[in-house]
């Protein structure tokens, strides 16, 4: 089998050279190295490598993610991305594109080859191939997925789910509540075995209409001509019902929405009430009911009418309406009677004087009564005493006048809406925004909300109507000129006498200037984030360049000791790079999680020095510990030096060995009752011991010098114990 071929697309020459060298040392053939996506696409016109290593940020106009889509469409070659960035925006873009893997910089040699071999042997992780959607192959799965939607139980109407053969699949929670039955008790039963299906307004048999529904999916006809009866509960089929088709276009099932009994049936029941019941209602109704003949003489009155006119029970009959009215008001009644003689219903107000002299104001609604020939014979009047109401209205008017002064003097805009969101009232401050109150009242509040905010505003308003709880929100409103103004909206629900929400009152406070300042601050923060993003990218790339230089130098020197020293230096660079990477992904950019650093460092050093011992077991006990960046870098370098020292010298000539690494913290009591928190890192091996030239306490090598200097910088201390191996402990104050 020939060598696997690779195309490298990377705009940093030193990084691409290092990757090329690593691949060739591991029996891969690099067909070309280019620095832009445009050049890569040109190479692919004449060559087809087995795999492509593609940097995301390139020097050309096209980035790697865009190029990968073209490569997938035209060439179908696996792509592995190279990048120094791991932010949420890039991760989101990567999730949407078709790729086979990602290698993050700084890059480990073994990571390059391991990732390529995994892709070539296993294929793309999570690939769905060319198989068709399972729901197309399995309609039952399609139906099951829909019926399992929890949102179906949020439908406030009685809802049935019927399969294409007429069997019930499910009923929603509202149906369970009305029918007092569980869904699984009727699931699998025929619709016409559970419900008595009746045909209305049609000569067709119910069975024929149901068959047409199942055969043709004709919901409109079914909803128009059918009603369902369940245990004497009569329900009409709503036109909102629908037939649901699967992805292949075939009817899978029906959603049948049911409504309460028709209004006509309710009216029929009303007219069947006995005359005695009607009489009882008239006698106990809160309004006065009286019948006067053509001469305005009472021929009938109910008890309430007697009380309104201030007479004894049943003594209003035979009295002329004129005896209770002033001359002007009696003339008004006569003019209204002339209208009723033309068979017109009239409504008007009169003031009466009771026998005791008390005056009352009545609202009158009078309806003409005719004989069998249609000739006017009398008037049926409904009297409502509105005297107290008028007094209340007068008081209310005075209060409203006070409120008007408060509203007009406020800097904020007060408003009220009905339950549908139509504006009932709004303060005069709208004139400031080129909108007169008369231009606003009567229109729906959504008309003035910015289109991008309307959906959210509707959800919030519906939540108020549903829960009856107030909310504060921010919304953009448009004036007559189309200018945008930011407002803080404090909305509160308004309740009727039964506790039901009937509308909303609120206050709009102009926060346009505040939003402008906030946007400027947000923009400034965003610019700083972009700058930090770019700096992070450059730092990671530069560290990768340095690491690549050291790697290239190590691979060309003939002196094995010098190569090891270069490898150690490369490890120090990577150590700083890991601290920087953890800092970038930290929430406050001032501390890192040190246990994550040690975990990463341990894995990398074990791979770097794996040739020193055949079998190395690493046991870690790392407690979560956040360390500031000014301590993390020197502490990280010290841990790296100690770990490299152990792996190079402790297990020389041994077949296997064990390395213990722990991280923790402890509090120590100092003088005068003060306490100090210390971090403590222990690295222990069961090897042969540390040679004299690498002993921390005596040696003068570069690594040991680094440890001593950095320990002093940390105000820490290093301790060394030799017993069944070597234990080195680094302790420093947090």
């Amino acid at each position: 089998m020939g060598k696997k071929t690779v195309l490298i697309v990377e705009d940093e020459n030193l990084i691409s050279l290092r990757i090329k060298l690593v691949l060739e040392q591991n029996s891969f053939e690099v067909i070309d190295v280019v620095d832009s996506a445009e050049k890569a696409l040109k190479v692919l016109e004449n060559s087809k490598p087995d795999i492509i290593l593609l940097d995301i940020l390139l020097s050309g106009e096209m980035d790697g993610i865009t190029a990968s889509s073209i490569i997938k469409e035209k060439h179908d070659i696996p792509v592995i991305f190279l990048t120094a960035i791991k932010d949420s925006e890039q991760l989101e873009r990567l999730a949407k594109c078709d790729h086979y893997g990602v290698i993050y910089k700084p890059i480990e040699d073994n990571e390059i080859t391991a990732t390529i071999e995994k892709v070539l042997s296993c294929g793309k992780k999570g690939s769905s191939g060319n198989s068709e959607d399972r729901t197309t192959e399995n309609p039952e799965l399609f139906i099951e997925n829909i019926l399992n939607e929890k949102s179906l139980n949020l439908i406030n109407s009685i809802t049935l789910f019927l399969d294409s053969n007429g069997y019930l699949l499910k009923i929603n929670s509202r149906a369970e509540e009305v029918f007092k039955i569980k869904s699984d008790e009727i699931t699998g039963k025929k619709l016409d075995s559970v419900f008595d299906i009746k045909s209305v307004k049609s000569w067709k048999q119910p069975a024929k209409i149901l068959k047409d529904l199942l055969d043709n999916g004709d919901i409109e006809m079914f909803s128009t001509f059918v009603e369902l009866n369940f245990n004497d509960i009569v329900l009409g089929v709503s036109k909102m019902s629908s037939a649901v088709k699967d992805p292949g276009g075939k009817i899978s099932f029906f959603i049948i929405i049911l409504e309460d009994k028709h209004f006509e049936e309710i009216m029929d029941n009303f007219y069947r009430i006995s005359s005695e019941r009607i009489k009882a209602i008239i006698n106990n109704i809160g309004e006065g009911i009286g019948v006067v003949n053509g001469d305005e003489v009472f021929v009938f009155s109910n008890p309430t009418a007697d009380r309104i006119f201030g007479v004894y029970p049943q003594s209003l009959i035979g009295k002329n309406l004129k005896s209770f009215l002033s001359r002007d008001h009696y003339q008004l009644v006569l003019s209204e009677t002339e209208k009723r003689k033309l068979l017109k219903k009239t409504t008007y107000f009169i003031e009466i004087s009771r026998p005791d002299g008390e005056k009352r104001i009545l609202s009158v609604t009078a309806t003409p009564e005719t004989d069998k020939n249609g000739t006017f014979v009398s008037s049926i009047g409904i009297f409502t005493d509105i005297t107290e109401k008028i007094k209340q209205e007068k008081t209310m008017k005075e209060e409203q006048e006070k409120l008007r002064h408060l509203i007009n003097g406020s800097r904020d805009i007060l408003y009220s809406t009905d339950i549908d969101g139509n504006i009932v009232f709004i303060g005069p401050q709208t004139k400031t925004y080129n909108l007169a109150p008369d231009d606003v009242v009567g229109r729906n509040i959504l008309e003035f909300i910015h289109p991008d905010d309307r959906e959210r505003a509707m959800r919030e308003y519906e939540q108020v109507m549903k829960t009856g709880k107030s909310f504060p929100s921010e919304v953009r409103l448009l004036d007559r000129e189309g200018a945008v103004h930011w407002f803080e909206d404090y909305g509160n629900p308004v309740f009727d006498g039964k506790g039901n929400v009937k509308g909303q009152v609120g206050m709009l406070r102009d926060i346009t200037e505040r939003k402008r300042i906030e946007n400027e601050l947000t923009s400034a923060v965003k610019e700083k984030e972009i700058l930090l993003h770019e700096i992070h990218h450059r730092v990671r790339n530069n560290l990768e360049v340095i690491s690549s230089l050291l790697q290239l130098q190590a691979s060309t020197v003939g002196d094995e000791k010098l190569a090891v020293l270069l490898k150690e230096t490369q490890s120090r660079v990577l150590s700083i790079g890991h601290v920087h990477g953890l800092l970038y992904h930290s929430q406050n950019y001032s501390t890192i999680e040190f246990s994550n650093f040690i975990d990463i460092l341990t894995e990398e050093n074990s791979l770097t020095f794996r040739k020193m011992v055949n079998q190395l077991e690493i046991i870690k006990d790392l407690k979560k510990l956040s360390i500031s960046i000014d301590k993390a870098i020197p502490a990280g370098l010290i841990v790296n030096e100690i770990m490299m020292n152990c792996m190079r010298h402790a297990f020389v000539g041994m077949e296997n060995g064990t390395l213990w690494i722990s991280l923790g913290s402890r509090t120590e009591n100092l003088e005068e009752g003060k306490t100090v928190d210390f971090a403590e890192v222990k690295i222990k091996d069961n090897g042969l011991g540390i040679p004299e030239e690498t002993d921390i306490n005596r040696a003068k090598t570069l690594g040991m010098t680094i440890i001593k200097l950095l320990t002093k910088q940390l105000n820490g201390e290093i301790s060394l114990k030799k017993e069944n191996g070597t234990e080195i402990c680094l302790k420093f104050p947090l």
Side-chain angles (χ1 to χ4, degrees):
M1 183 180 294
K3 294 182 178 181
K4 296 295 183 181
T5 56
V6 183
L7 171 63
I8 300 173
V9 187
E10 166 65 60
D11 59 356
E12 293 285 354
N13 293 336
L14 287 173
I15 296 176
S16 60
L17 179 58
R18 178 215 172 174
I19 294 173
K20 182 175 184 295
L21 180 61
V22 170
L23 292 174
E24 290 176 343
Q25 288 174 346
N26 287 273
S27 301
F28 288 95
E29 179 184 348
V30 178
I31 65 168
D32 206 343
V33 178
V34 294
D35 60 1
S36 71
E38 291 81 3
K39 292 179 182 179
L41 294 174
K42 192 169 183 180
V43 170
L44 294 177
E45 292 177 0
N46 301 313
S47 304
K48 186 174 182 180
D50 294 305
I51 202 161
I52 299 172
L53 297 181
L54 179 60
D55 192 17
I56 291 179
L57 298 180
L58 295 166
S59 58
E61 294 183 359
M62 187 187 304
D63 67 4
I65 293 179
T66 303
S68 70
S69 300
I70 299 175
I71 293 171
K72 171 63 180 175
E73 181 180 352
K74 290 187 175 182
H75 307 287
D76 197 21
I77 300 173
V79 170
I80 297 175
F81 286 119
L82 307 174
T83 182
I85 304 299
K86 195 187 287 186
D87 59 18
S88 58
E89 181 180 350
Q90 188 178 94
L91 290 174
E92 185 177 349
R93 290 188 67 201
L94 285 172
K96 294 179 180 178
C97 74
D98 214 355
H99 66 285
Y100 285 67
V102 182
I103 299 176
Y104 291 98
K105 302 174 183 178
I107 303 171
E108 289 293 316
D109 295 353
N110 63 297
E111 187 179 7
I112 300 172
T113 55
T115 304
I116 293 176
E117 288 170 354
K118 181 179 179 181
V119 169
L120 293 177
S121 61
C122 300
K124 179 184 172 188
K125 182 180 179 181
S127 174
S128 60
N130 297 320
S131 62
E132 295 182 358
D133 185 39
R134 290 173 59 206
T135 58
T136 303
E137 298 176 351
N138 190 350
E140 290 78 15
L141 179 60
F142 171 77
I143 297 173
E144 181 182 350
N145 288 341
I146 295 180
L147 294 182
N148 286 336
E149 277 289 326
K150 295 181 179 179
S151 60
L152 294 178
N153 281 329
L154 299 179
I155 301 175
N156 199 34
S157 300
I158 301 169
T159 308
L160 315 177
F161 300 87
L162 185 72
D163 72 12
S164 57
N165 295 315
Y167 290 90
L168 287 163
L169 297 170
K170 181 179 181 178
I171 63 176
N172 72 341
S173 57
R174 174 62 178 157
E176 290 178 334
E177 178 185 345
V178 173
F179 299 147
K180 294 180 174 52
I181 192 171
K182 295 295 183 182
S183 178
D184 54 8
E185 295 179 35
I186 61 173
T187 297
K189 295 182 179 179
K190 274 276 192 178
L191 178 69
D192 53 6
S193 69
V194 177
F195 294 90
D196 180 17
I197 303 177
K198 293 185 178 180
S199 176
V200 293
K201 303 179 184 178
S202 172
W203 54 268
K204 289 187 177 181
Q205 293 297 318
K208 177 66 169 61
I209 297 177
L210 178 60
K211 185 176 185 301
D212 288 344
L213 169 69
L214 301 178
D215 291 344
N216 307 317
D218 192 347
I219 283 289
E220 183 173 355
M221 183 187 73
F222 189 72
S223 63
T224 303
F225 297 118
V226 167
E227 64 182 19
L228 302 182
N229 187 303
F230 181 87
N231 292 346
D232 296 327
I233 302 174
V234 180
L235 302 158
V237 179
S238 170
K239 292 183 179 180
M240 296 299 292
S241 305
S242 61
V244 180
K245 297 182 180 180
D246 64 22
K250 182 180 178 181
I251 294 177
S252 289
F253 65 100
F254 300 87
I255 300 176
I256 308 297
I257 300 176
L258 305 179
E259 298 175 332
D260 292 335
K261 290 189 293 184
H262 301 300
F263 177 75
E264 292 84 354
E265 292 177 315
I266 297 174
M267 293 305 296
D268 290 342
N269 291 333
F270 174 76
Y271 288 124
R272 285 195 294 268
I273 297 176
S274 66
S275 58
E276 290 298 323
R277 178 94 179 267
I278 294 174
K279 182 178 179 180
I281 292 173
I282 292 174
N283 287 337
N284 290 282
I285 198 168
E287 282 78 20
I289 299 177
V291 180
V292 295
N293 60 22
D295 297 325
E296 308 301 335
V297 175
F298 280 97
V299 295
F300 171 82
S301 67
N302 72 343
T304 304
D306 295 333
R307 288 194 298 270
I308 289 174
F309 281 85
V311 298
Y312 291 108
Q314 298 182 349
S315 63
L316 192 59
I317 298 174
K319 287 185 169 50
N320 195 299
L321 188 58
K322 180 180 180 180
S323 61
F324 297 92
L325 301 173
S326 67
R327 181 178 178 180
D328 291 340
H329 281 276
Y330 185 63
Q331 290 299 321
L332 172 64
V333 170
L334 293 179
S335 65
E336 295 296 323
T337 301
E338 291 302 316
K339 296 177 183 178
R340 289 193 293 277
K341 288 180 179 179
L342 298 175
L343 305 183
K344 293 182 179 180
K345 181 179 178 180
T346 62
T347 300
Y348 51 96
F349 300 94
I350 57 174
E351 183 181 68
I352 66 170
S353 294
R354 290 176 171 179
D356 61 4
E358 183 181 0
K359 296 184 182 298
R360 308 297 292 182
I361 300 174
L362 308 183
S363 170
V364 183
T365 300
T367 304
E369 186 179 19
T370 62
D371 59 17
K372 62 182 180 180
N373 298 319
T375 303
F376 171 82
V377 292
S378 59
S379 298
I380 302 173
I382 298 177
F383 306 99
T384 304
D385 190 340
I386 60 172
T387 307
E388 298 303 324
K389 181 179 179 182
I390 289 178
K391 290 180 180 179
Q392 292 174 0
E393 287 178 350
K394 182 180 179 181
T395 302
M396 187 179 297
K397 187 176 181 180
E398 293 172 352
E399 295 298 325
Q400 286 177 344
E401 186 65 18
K402 296 177 184 177
L403 183 60
R404 186 179 66 83
H405 289 297
L406 290 174
I407 292 172
N408 292 343
S410 173
R411 296 177 60 184
D412 302 322
I413 303 175
L414 299 180
Y415 71 91
S416 67
T417 65
D418 62 18
I419 196 168
D420 297 318
N422 298 314
I423 299 171
V424 178
F425 166 82
I426 198 160
Q429 293 83 356
T430 54
K431 296 177 182 177
T432 307
Y433 307 97
N434 299 317
L435 287 169
D438 292 342
D439 297 333
V440 178
V441 172
R443 296 167 65 181
N444 195 282
I445 196 169
L446 288 175
E447 295 181 37
F448 303 96
I449 295 177
H450 192 284
D452 294 343
D453 295 346
R454 285 174 185 167
E455 185 176 350
R456 174 177 58 82
M458 286 180 64
R459 290 197 305 269
E460 292 175 346
Y461 186 77
E462 289 170 357
Q463 190 69 11
V464 170
M465 297 298 105
K466 182 179 179 181
T467 65
K469 295 180 180 179
S470 61
F471 68 92
S473 66
E474 293 182 354
V475 66
R476 289 174 290 178
L477 299 182
L478 304 173
D479 63 19
R480 191 197 301 272
E481 306 298 328
V484 177
H485 303 273
W486 275 98
F487 286 90
E488 203 164 44
D489 185 8
Y490 298 89
N492 291 279
V494 178
F495 302 93
D496 60 18
K498 297 180 180 179
N500 300 316
V501 178
K502 67 175 184 178
Q504 175 182 295
V505 296
M507 179 182 71
L508 296 169
R509 175 166 295 169
D510 193 332
I511 57 170
T512 305
E513 180 62 18
R514 191 185 82 186
K515 294 299 290 186
R516 183 189 67 79
I517 295 173
E518 287 178 358
N519 290 336
E520 289 179 356
L521 290 174
T522 301
S523 179
V525 171
K526 185 65 176 178
E527 289 178 3
K528 289 182 179 180
E529 289 178 350
I530 294 173
L531 180 60
L532 180 62
H533 185 281
E534 181 63 21
I535 291 172
H536 173 69
H537 174 251
R538 291 302 172 191
V539 169
R540 295 285 293 231
N541 248 9
N542 290 339
L543 288 172
E544 175 62 22
V545 170
I546 296 171
S547 177
S548 296
L549 283 171
L550 293 170
Q551 173 67 24
L552 292 170
Q553 187 66 58
S555 64
T556 57
V557 298
D559 190 335
E560 184 177 350
K561 289 184 177 181
L562 181 57
V564 172
L565 291 175
L566 290 171
K567 198 73 174 177
E568 290 178 353
T569 303
Q570 184 186 15
S571 179
R572 294 172 186 129
V573 172
L574 290 173
S575 177
I576 295 174
H578 293 316
V579 172
H580 178 80
L582 290 171
L583 175 66
Y584 179 75
H585 294 289
S586 178
Q587 292 183 350
N588 57 17
Y589 297 121
S590 62
T591 63
I592 69 165
E593 178 51 57
F594 203 56
S595 60
N596 292 342
F597 168 80
I598 294 178
D599 198 32
I600 295 171
L601 195 64
T602 302
E603 297 301 322
E604 290 189 350
N605 276 316
S606 65
L607 292 172
T608 302
F609 297 98
R610 62 184 181 275
K611 295 182 179 179
M612 300 299 179
V613 60
N614 290 335
Q615 187 68 35
L616 177 61
E617 180 184 8
I618 300 176
I619 301 174
K620 292 178 283 189
D621 181 16
L622 306 176
K623 302 295 188 298
K624 295 289 184 181
L625 189 62
S626 294
I627 296 180
S628 63
I629 186 62
D630 60 332
K631 293 182 181 292
I633 290 179
L637 287 170
I638 292 172
V639 172
N640 186 54
E641 292 295 332
I642 295 173
M643 201 175 295
M644 287 194 303
N645 202 37
C646 287
M647 291 186 178
R648 282 186 58 196
H649 301 289
F651 307 106
V652 176
M654 295 177 62
E655 288 295 325
N656 52 57
T658 304
L659 190 68
W660 292 270
I661 303 170
S662 67
L663 169 66
S665 63
R666 60 192 177 113
T667 302
E668 294 186 2
N669 296 320
L670 301 181
E671 298 176 356
E672 300 177 358
K674 295 182 179 179
T675 59
V676 177
D677 293 328
F678 288 89
E680 193 173 68
V681 184
K682 290 183 180 180
I683 301 176
K684 185 179 183 305
D685 65 75
N686 65 345
L688 303 175
I690 298 176
E692 184 175 339
E693 65 271 14
T694 61
D695 192 317
I696 295 172
N697 297 320
R698 292 178 289 177
K700 297 181 180 180
T701 62
L702 175 61
M704 298 305 106
T705 302
I706 290 173
I707 291 175
K708 287 181 178 180
L709 291 174
L710 294 178
T711 302
K712 184 177 180 181
Q713 180 180 331
L714 284 172
N715 294 321
E717 59 183 56
I718 291 280
S719 60
L720 176 69
K721 289 197 304 185
K722 293 185 178 181
E723 183 178 350
N724 297 325
T726 304
E727 179 182 285
I728 302 172
C729 177
L730 168 64
K731 185 178 79 171
F732 60 92
L734 292 171

